Amino acid sequence: MNTTTLKKKFSFERVELLLKNRALDDLPSLLIGVGILFGVNLLSIIGTGYALFNRGNNQIWTVFLLGAGIVLSGYAFREMHDEKAGLDWVLLPATSLEKYVAALVEYVVLYPLVGALVVMGLSGLLSALELVAGGPGGRIWTPGADFGSVMSIWGNYAIFSLWFLAGSATFRRKPLLKSAGSLLVYVLVMTGFVFSILLAHRIPRSVAFGSSGYSFMWNGAGRYMAWPLSGGAVAALNIILNVLLYGIVPIFCIGFGYLRVAEKEVRDEVQ
Amino acid sequence: MVQFEGLTFGYSEKLLFQDLALTLQPGTVYGLLGLNGAGKTSLLKLAAGALRAQQGSIEVFGRDPAKREAAFLADIAFVPEDPWLPAVKPAVWLDRYSVFRPSFDRGRFQVLTQEFSLESDKLLSKYSYGQRKKFALAAAFASGSRLLLLDEPTNGLDIPSKTQFRRILAEAIEPSRVIVVSTHQVRDLESIIDPAVILHQGKVLFTIASETMNSRLYAAHLPDIDVPGVVYAEKDAVGWSALVARNAAGGESLNAGPATDAADLELVFNAAIAVPERLASALNGEALVSRYDGSLSDGNKQPGYDDAFGSESRRATEVQR
């Protein structure tokens, strides 16, 4: 980096350096994650001849993203909150925006891309081991095989990742747990919103809450909304929920997370 | 230049600074002195942009630290009292972190780490407290930054390292650079810090240049303090360690002790806290209106700021170079 770059308000060169540092910091955790995934599948192959998460579909990819990507996102700003490391983190010569963008690109974009390559390799290895163990083998996962689903999984992962990144920027202690808790609250609020609409339309209790034992039908609510709501109303409700989940929530998470990073102060002691 | 104007800052309900004003000029090593909790570290963090003022303004070489621009952050180096270092070896640290500072002098860094006998094949996170301090100091002195903020730099350093540190600090003085050293170990650094800035109860109580201090005051060991010219004294096993005014104009002066003796910064600091009015008079070359009675130094009372002085702190004499 030179003095010209230093004067820039936003520098891709600095973001690149931050990305590199993050990747190197996360490498041990990533290797542990891959090791666990491999270990679980290896045990499954030894026991049954089949890899548990290598059935030729996107399952292995999903497990990898959710298993490690969310954890890494949830702890993305742990150094910033650390009593000692926080000062170094805040005073590292890069702007708050660059530091936040680096985290966002790392976990939302780069991690899934690099992860796809890792998972392909892992899937190939597991397939070979299946063959050796007398299993079916030949079920190597590739993102191109069902690209639409892969993109859909990535999109959903991105929302979760952004949520956990914002949580990591916000919560100083137990960010993963608190982010998960806040996500649960969001889901419950949205569920309450849907049910309040159903109740407002006087849907019979047996339909709204399921026909068997009055159990709650969180996932099935949409199906029962067909009556007495019109098809148009259901579609509108779906649009609202989708706009919230895929539009408002990510924008809110990005903005909120960035503000938490930009406003961070190292106020731990008085001397 | 570093300038604090009308600075107000506090934690929760405790106000640390109120309407604080301070200007730091380049080419100078400022010694920031204060009791525990006076806000020395907080003032350094405010200058660095790690904390934000609640009111007032801070300007560092024409920039607002609160904005944390990359160019600003590269122009400051902060060595905290207990530095944190990542779990990498020094060479890796250089490749990963010094690259954010275009003015970082790798050659100087290598020289300093060798002088401090830092192990190059050991993870930084495995360094001892003293080694971490030395590494952080080496990084700061090689950073090329114009503002060096050193918080208790001699804590954790062994005796030879303190000598090395003083020499390196002296070498780091440049016409464009401001160095601020916050310390309780005034005797480690009194030969190099000039002026001393004394923080107390949210204000800059004194800014005392060495030249003024030594031309107006000297330290002496006295059997008795009931003599003219004593500004402040502390009882020890065989008498009194006293801070004495030289040639107080129009008033009493004490001819005890060699006139070539320098003032003791630790005594000056304690005098600033315990008897600020007497110290201000002595530094201004004014007559001391009464003899020192030792009432604040006999161990029965903690040196502290008398509430009766209260608002007078705003008028506390600032003796500039």
Side-chain angles (χ1 to χ4, degrees):
Chain A
M1 190 188 303
N2 55 37
T3 47
T4 310
T5 309
L6 194 64
K7 287 175 187 164
K8 287 182 182 171
K9 297 279 182 198
F10 186 90
S11 157
F12 287 103
E13 195 179 335
R14 281 195 294 270
V15 172
E16 191 185 325
L17 290 170
L18 291 164
L19 276 170
K20 186 182 131 194
N21 282 352
R22 271 197 176 277
L24 290 169
D25 285 340
D26 288 339
L27 191 59
S29 307
L30 195 63
L31 290 176
I32 289 170
V34 172
I36 290 171
L37 193 57
F38 176 74
V40 167
N41 281 296
L42 186 64
L43 285 175
S44 171
I45 290 170
I46 291 168
T48 66
Y50 292 85
L52 187 62
F53 298 120
N54 194 33
R55 302 289 164 90
N57 55 24
N58 291 320
Q59 191 187 35
I60 188 168
W61 164 249
T62 310
V63 168
F64 184 78
L65 278 186
L66 293 179
I70 295 299
V71 175
L72 289 175
S73 302
Y75 287 110
F77 297 105
R78 66 190 178 284
E79 259 185 37
M80 180 181 84
H81 293 301
D82 186 89
E83 198 175 322
K84 288 180 183 173
L87 188 66
D88 267 39
W89 196 93
V90 166
L91 298 184
L92 185 74
T95 64
S96 302
L97 182 62
E98 288 161 351
K99 289 169 186 172
Y100 192 71
V101 166
L104 202 138
V105 171
E106 180 97 3
Y107 300 115
V108 179
V109 181
L110 282 186
Y111 178 80
L113 285 176
V114 173
L117 293 173
V118 172
V119 168
M120 267 198 293
L122 187 64
S123 178
L125 181 63
L126 291 171
S127 293
L129 288 172
E130 273 184 348
L131 281 175
V132 172
R139 298 185 299 185
I140 302 171
W141 179 82
T142 56
D146 187 3
F147 192 67
S149 297
V150 165
M151 291 307 288
S152 171
I153 290 166
W154 175 79
N156 284 297
Y157 160 78
I159 291 162
F160 280 108
S161 177
L162 289 173
W163 187 286
F164 279 81
L165 276 170
S168 177
T170 305
F171 302 119
R172 186 175 172 159
R173 292 193 175 88
K174 297 185 172 50
L176 195 67
L177 194 66
K178 289 176 181 171
S179 300
S182 61
L183 188 62
L184 182 65
V185 169
Y186 172 80
V187 170
L188 289 175
V189 167
M190 285 299 106
T191 306
F193 169 66
V194 170
F195 273 98
S196 66
I197 288 174
L198 290 173
L199 291 172
H201 286 77
R202 298 177 187 177
I203 290 178
R205 187 172 55 180
S206 60
V207 175
F209 297 107
S211 55
S212 174
Y214 301 108
S215 60
F216 283 96
M217 298 289 287
W218 309 104
N219 297 326
R223 278 186 282 141
Y224 295 104
M225 283 164 59
W227 184 87
L229 289 180
S230 66
V234 171
L237 193 57
N238 276 333
I239 288 170
I240 290 169
L241 293 173
N242 283 331
V243 166
L244 267 173
L245 185 62
Y246 296 105
I248 308 294
V249 166
I251 291 169
F252 173 80
C253 286
I254 291 170
F256 186 75
Y258 165 67
L259 288 176
R260 297 297 297 178
V261 171
E263 290 170 359
K264 178 67 182 171
E265 290 186 67
V266 189
R267 46 169 60 227
D268 301 310
E269 53 195 331
V270 185
Q271 280 188 6
Chain B
M1 189 169 74
V2 180
Q3 198 158 22
F4 300 87
E5 269 184 29
L7 175 69
T8 297
F9 175 81
Y11 293 98
S12 303
E13 292 174 5
K14 188 193 173 193
L15 207 56
L16 206 52
F17 306 122
Q18 194 166 18
D19 201 23
L20 181 140
L22 178 65
T23 301
L24 308 176
Q25 298 291 349
T28 311
V29 181
Y30 288 87
L32 194 58
L33 313 179
L35 297 173
N36 290 329
K40 300 186 294 298
T41 300
S42 298
L43 195 67
L44 298 185
K45 285 182 178 176
L46 282 159
L51 291 174
R52 292 194 168 97
Q54 286 155 0
Q55 279 177 37
S57 67
I58 307 170
E59 203 176 281
V60 177
F61 302 120
R63 293 180 188 273
D64 177 2
K67 289 183 180 170
R68 290 183 196 153
E69 295 164 304
F72 165 79
L73 293 173
D75 211 11
I76 59 159
F78 190 120
V79 177
E81 185 182 359
D82 188 2
W84 172 88
L85 295 172
V88 296
K89 290 180 180 175
V92 175
W93 182 91
L94 269 177
D95 288 339
R96 287 180 54 180
Y97 297 99
S98 72
V99 288
F100 288 90
R101 298 173 181 272
S103 302
F104 193 91
D105 185 342
R106 284 181 171 232
R108 179 75 180 141
F109 179 74
Q110 297 292 1
V111 168
L112 293 174
T113 50
Q114 279 169 15
E115 278 193 34
F116 280 135
S117 305
L118 293 169
E119 297 157 273
S120 58
D121 57 347
K122 192 174 177 180
L123 289 177
L124 298 177
S125 54
K126 301 283 184 193
Y127 274 6
S128 68
Y129 172 56
Q131 287 175 316
R132 278 187 280 125
K133 186 63 83 62
K134 289 175 189 176
F135 186 90
L137 286 168
F141 286 126
S143 66
S145 304
R146 284 187 295 166
L147 176 60
L148 299 187
L149 303 165
L150 314 178
D151 195 3
E152 298 289 356
T154 56
N155 276 8
L157 297 189
D158 50 35
I159 293 167
S161 299
K162 284 181 183 177
T163 309
Q164 279 177 323
F165 170 73
R166 278 192 289 269
R167 182 177 50 73
I168 293 164
L169 182 60
E171 288 169 3
I173 300 170
E174 288 177 12
S176 62
R177 181 177 273 171
V178 178
I179 304 175
V180 187
V181 181
S182 156
T183 186
H184 290 294
Q185 315 297 326
V186 288
R187 294 211 164 102
D188 285 344
L189 295 164
E190 65 182 336
S191 62
I192 198 161
I193 56 177
D194 183 17
V197 177
I198 298 174
L199 274 183
H200 192 57
Q201 293 201 334
K203 305 278 183 192
V204 175
L205 200 54
F206 288 95
T207 302
I208 313 172
S210 279
E211 192 184 341
T212 308
M213 188 168 67
N214 290 320
S215 67
R216 302 286 190 193
L217 301 164
Y218 68 95
H221 194 267
L222 305 174
D224 182 17
I225 56 165
D226 189 20
V227 288
V230 174
V231 178
Y232 172 77
E234 291 170 358
K235 194 160 177 46
D236 59 28
V238 290
W240 295 81
S241 294
L243 189 65
V244 187
R246 287 184 207 274
N247 306 317
E252 296 175 314
S253 64
L254 177 69
N255 293 318
T260 51
D261 276 3
D264 179 302
L265 189 52
E266 195 168 298
L267 276 178
V268 171
F269 172 74
N270 286 339
I273 302 300
V275 287
E277 283 181 318
R278 288 180 70 81
L279 181 66
S281 296
L283 288 169
N284 283 332
E286 296 165 0
L288 299 174
V289 292
S290 60
R291 289 195 178 176
Y292 182 63
D293 62 5
S295 59
L296 289 168
S297 61
D298 59 5
N300 295 324
K301 292 182 181 178
Q302 282 281 78
Y305 199 67
D306 186 353
D307 284 341
F309 193 66
S311 60
E312 295 297 311
S313 66
R314 293 199 184 96
R315 292 191 274 117
T317 306
E318 281 204 6
V319 184
Q320 300 283 359
R321 252 197 321 191

